[in-house]
């Protein structure tokens, strides 16, 4: 319990659970509100019960899948920014620095 107090409040397991419950309740209330509020659809199918929630979920799922697919093509190797092995092993030459600082 003491260890949980040291964590930031957004990463505590108890807070994450409360947020999941809270967001689920809000989503349920919004979908159930469609039973008493008339929704006029422009295309017909967008007036179906729960269409907004389903459309939002599917849209989010598609965006995540596209991002994963793009990640396969755009990602770099883990050692992409590491220096090449030749530069790491060779010692820098300080002679040129001394010559330039003396004005020679």
């Amino acid at each position: 319990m003491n260890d949980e107090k040291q964590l930031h409040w957004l990463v505590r397991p108890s807070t994450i659970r409360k947020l999941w419950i809270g967001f689920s309740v809000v989503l349920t209330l919004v979908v159930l509100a469609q039973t008493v509020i008339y929704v006029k659809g422009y295309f017909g199918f967008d007036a179906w019960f729960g269409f907004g929630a389903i459309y939002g979920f599917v849209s989010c799922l598609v965006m995540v899948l596209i991002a994963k697919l793009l990640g396969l093509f755009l990602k770099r190797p883990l050692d992409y920014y590491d220096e090449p092995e030749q530069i790491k092993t060779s010692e820098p030459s300080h002679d040129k620095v001394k010559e330039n600082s003396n004005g020679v």
Side-chain angles (χ1 to χ4, degrees), residues 9-57:
W9 71 275
L10 279 175
V11 295
R12 292 182 195 150
S14 60
T15 305
I16 293 172
R17 180 170 168 75
K18 289 175 188 173
L19 287 173
W20 270 103
I21 292 170
F23 289 140
S24 299
V25 167
V26 169
L27 177 62
T28 304
L29 291 175
V30 168
V31 171
L32 288 178
Q34 193 172 354
T35 59
V36 294
I37 298 173
Y38 175 71
V39 176
K40 180 184 181 293
Y42 294 101
F43 301 107
F45 59 85
D46 55 345
W48 294 346
F49 180 75
F51 175 79
I54 294 169
Y55 180 76
F57 177 76

Side-chain angles (χ1 to χ4, degrees), residues 71-90:
L72 292 175
F73 294 110
L74 299 178
K75 71 179 174 183
R76 299 283 184 236
L78 291 177
D79 60 348
Y80 181 75
Y81 291 106
D82 290 344
E83 295 180 16
E85 195 61 36
Q86 293 174 346
I87 296 173
K88 287 182 183 177
T89 57
S90 64

Side-chain angles (χ1 to χ4, degrees), residues 58-72:
V58 171
S59 299
C60 182
L61 183 66
V62 168
M63 285 190 291
V64 168
L65 292 176
I66 289 173
K68 292 281 190 182
L69 185 65
L70 279 174
L72 292 175

